[in-house]
Amino acid sequence: MRLLGLICLFVTVMFATAASAECSLPTTKDFATQATALFNCPSALPLKGGEGKRKFQVHYDFPKTLPDSSHLPWLAVDPLTDPAGYMHAILEYATKYNGRSDIDWRIEDNKEQHWCNAPWLQDSREPLRGMTTERWSRPKELHEKQVGWAKNWAVGIYNDLACYGLGQIWSDPTFPKTKGFSLPNGALGIKLLFTNATPAQVPFLSNSKEWEVAAGNDGSIITMRMLQVDVSVKDKRSPNGWFFGTFMYDGTKAGKTPYDRLVPVGLMWGSDPDLLASAYYDKAATPKESWVNPEEAQRFYALPRQHLGLFGRANGPVDNPKSACITCHQRAMDWGRAVLANSPEAKQAAMLLPDVPFDPFIDSDAKAYFRNIGAASPVPNTQTLDYSLQVAKGISIFRAWVLLNYPDHAGSTTDIPPYPFARLLMGSQQVPTAGAAFDEFNR
């Protein structure tokens, strides 16, 4: 749903040799020991002034057998005729225990349900809440009183069905198996997005939930407020297999808790590939594969972004107004090899994987991005990761780390054929920057 600059999934990820105290690496340098240590690392980012505060603990609760999905409350609601009811059923399920004050999204404390984190995001997670940086909100994207940039961070978790799928990939921390990957029906991901914008800058943040987050560049602690909650659900009733929904916090609403004041913004099940500029402006076309709450959408009409997603598609207030939820998520895939930032392979990958159109008024560029691909991979001859960008980012970080530190293991730690990038003749030899191909957060 988010994009930073002009890219959705390619980012530089630096692999520091000196990890934080929470991520100290063993002195033994063999591949399996180092890989397992990083797999279990909560955070490799710094923390300043957080002595005595509870730290984020990565939690891998991967069931060995497929959990029962018959109890999931949203399965009793038709998402196409009652999208708001469908979204509320999901939200109530996710917050019932995780939202309690004694748990407060520390999923290792939730003894009633099974939730997990996605592996290999330690270089992105801050050490207090396990949050990762999101696309920042440009001035006046959230409210007319927001005159400066707002920093946004988020944390995502998965329910037991999704965790079962993650366990199929990561049963061996030294060898992710992505061949044939598909999450089961009922898999749920939920992500809480917080901002450092204040109620004075964004009045509807009044009385929102607050967290202390080590979001400063040096690991210093910043107070952030809940702004947006995203949900993604594998549901066979969707033509593309998934529903993506987003809520926003609204302090003007009644409710005992901040979760009661979360209002549905939109639900999306397709990219509306024919909703192009020509159709939108000349024929007054509207989305057919999104539901957008008109009460919340109207907040943004007078702001620079105008719409939540391009031409009225569903997207969240933190998200790129040139993009849309499901369209960005369907880019999740595995090249079967490392794609290092600034490498010839990265340049080819950027051309192969359609990105948010720089100029959305060029119909051909918009049509290349806004596609419906169902269960296919966005690039032929690659492995889809089933709309799961956190999974894709973790895989890409792992592959880059292996290539840079244990190149002899690069070919033996993939169970799919490496994508056959063309060999390019370079005018001068370039050393690629340590990096990874995917970013779940800055999309």
Side-chain angles (χ1 to χ4, degrees):
M1 302 178 202
R2 285 154 292 284
L3 183 87
L4 181 58
L6 303 178
I7 61 175
C8 180
L9 297 172
F10 290 91
V11 358
T12 299
V13 179
M14 300 305 296
F15 294 92
T17 55
S20 70
E22 290 75 22
C23 195
S24 298
L25 297 181
T27 56
T28 304
K29 298 300 182 183
D30 72 276
F31 169 72
T33 302
Q34 292 284 313
T36 302
L38 286 171
F39 178 86
N40 292 312
C41 171
S43 171
L45 296 185
L47 175 61
K48 181 180 179 181
E51 296 79 7
K53 294 186 180 296
R54 182 171 177 176
K55 311 298 193 303
F56 168 73
Q57 178 59 56
V58 71
H59 186 63
Y60 301 140
D61 195 347
F62 300 151
K64 300 297 184 184
T65 58
L66 182 64
D68 177 34
S69 62
S70 61
H71 66 287
L72 299 175
W74 61 86
L75 296 180
V77 184
D78 186 340
L80 300 179
T81 60
D82 186 9
Y86 180 79
M87 292 175 63
H88 276 300
I90 295 169
L91 184 67
E92 290 171 7
Y93 167 87
T95 59
K96 181 178 180 180
Y97 297 106
N98 293 320
R100 285 186 349 197
S101 59
D102 60 326
I103 295 176
D104 197 20
W105 301 91
R106 306 282 189 183
I107 57 175
E108 65 271 24
D109 292 347
N110 185 346
K111 307 305 180 184
E112 305 296 329
Q113 298 171 325
H114 299 278
W115 295 82
C116 69
N117 303 112
W120 272 90
L121 300 178
Q122 66 279 354
D123 285 331
S124 300
R125 287 178 170 134
E126 56 82 32
L128 290 183
R129 283 288 180 173
M131 304 192 92
T132 56
T133 185
E134 290 279 336
R135 174 185 180 271
W136 292 12
S137 297
R138 292 168 173 79
K140 298 192 176 184
E141 275 196 342
L142 300 176
H143 194 275
E144 62 181 5
K145 294 183 178 181
Q146 181 218 343
V147 295
W149 287 74
K151 293 182 180 180
N152 305 311
W153 286 64
V155 60
I157 60 172
Y158 297 89
N159 76 341
D160 56 351
L161 286 137
C163 296
Y164 170 81
L166 268 63
Q168 301 306 295
I169 291 181
W170 289 109
S171 59
D172 181 351
T174 70
F175 186 179
K177 299 176 177 64
T178 64
K179 184 178 181 180
F181 175 69
S182 178
L183 287 167
N185 196 58
L188 166 67
I190 183 168
K191 182 160 64 171
L192 282 68
L193 296 96
F194 283 60
T195 182
N196 72 338
T198 66
Q201 299 163 330
V202 182
F204 59 76
L205 289 175
S206 176
N207 297 316
S208 183
K209 183 175 185 59
E210 294 185 349
W211 274 352
E212 290 185 326
V213 181
N217 293 336
D218 59 352
S220 54
I221 297 173
I222 297 173
T223 298
M224 307 196 83
R225 297 162 185 85
M226 183 174 66
L227 166 60
Q228 178 175 320
V229 174
D230 295 339
V231 296
S232 55
V233 186
K234 184 76 175 283
D235 190 327
K236 60 186 178 182
R237 292 174 291 181
S238 165
N240 287 288
W242 285 87
F243 288 98
F244 283 83
T246 186
F247 296 82
M248 65 177 288
Y249 177 81
D250 186 350
T252 68
K253 302 296 184 182
K256 295 181 179 180
T257 74
Y259 308 115
D260 296 330
R261 297 189 286 275
L262 287 170
V263 294
V265 172
L267 184 70
M268 189 175 196
W269 53 92
S271 292
D272 275 297
D274 295 324
L275 183 57
L276 307 172
S278 55
Y280 179 74
Y281 286 103
D282 298 341
K283 301 178 182 178
T286 57
K288 305 299 182 185
E289 297 173 333
S290 295
W291 168 78
V292 177
N293 185 342
E295 180 181 352
E296 299 309 316
Q298 61 87 26
R299 290 177 177 272
F300 301 93
Y301 291 156
L303 301 179
R305 67 179 301 138
Q306 297 181 349
H307 290 292
L308 292 157
L310 188 64
F311 302 144
R313 293 173 173 89
N315 225 1
V318 167
D319 306 332
N320 190 327
K322 292 182 180 180
S323 187
C325 302
I326 199 171
T327 313
C328 191
H329 274 264
Q330 71 185 12
R331 293 159 51 90
M333 39 79 75
D334 180 13
W335 296 99
R337 61 185 294 169
V339 180
L340 302 181
N342 301 328
S343 68
E345 291 80 11
K347 295 176 182 178
Q348 293 181 62
M351 292 185 289
L352 290 165
L353 190 60
D355 203 353
V356 172
F358 177 75
D359 185 349
F361 295 96
I362 300 176
D363 281 357
S364 59
D365 291 353
K367 200 170 185 66
Y369 178 66
F370 291 100
R371 303 180 295 163
N372 285 331
I373 65 173
S377 182
V379 177
N381 300 316
T382 66
Q383 173 62 50
T384 175
L385 291 178
D386 205 7
Y387 295 72
S388 301
L389 288 171
Q390 277 199 341
V391 174
K393 181 181 180 182
I395 293 293
S396 68
I397 293 175
F398 171 83
R399 299 211 185 287
W401 175 81
V402 173
L403 181 62
L404 291 168
N405 295 277
Y406 298 90
D408 291 344
H409 287 76
S412 61
T413 51
T414 177
D415 65 341
I416 62 171
Y419 186 81
F421 289 109
R423 293 186 177 275
L424 299 180
L425 296 176
M426 306 297 292
S428 60
Q429 184 66 33
Q430 294 184 348
V431 178
T433 302
F438 299 103
D439 187 349
E440 199 269 345
F441 308 104
N442 296 316
R443 54 195 188 277

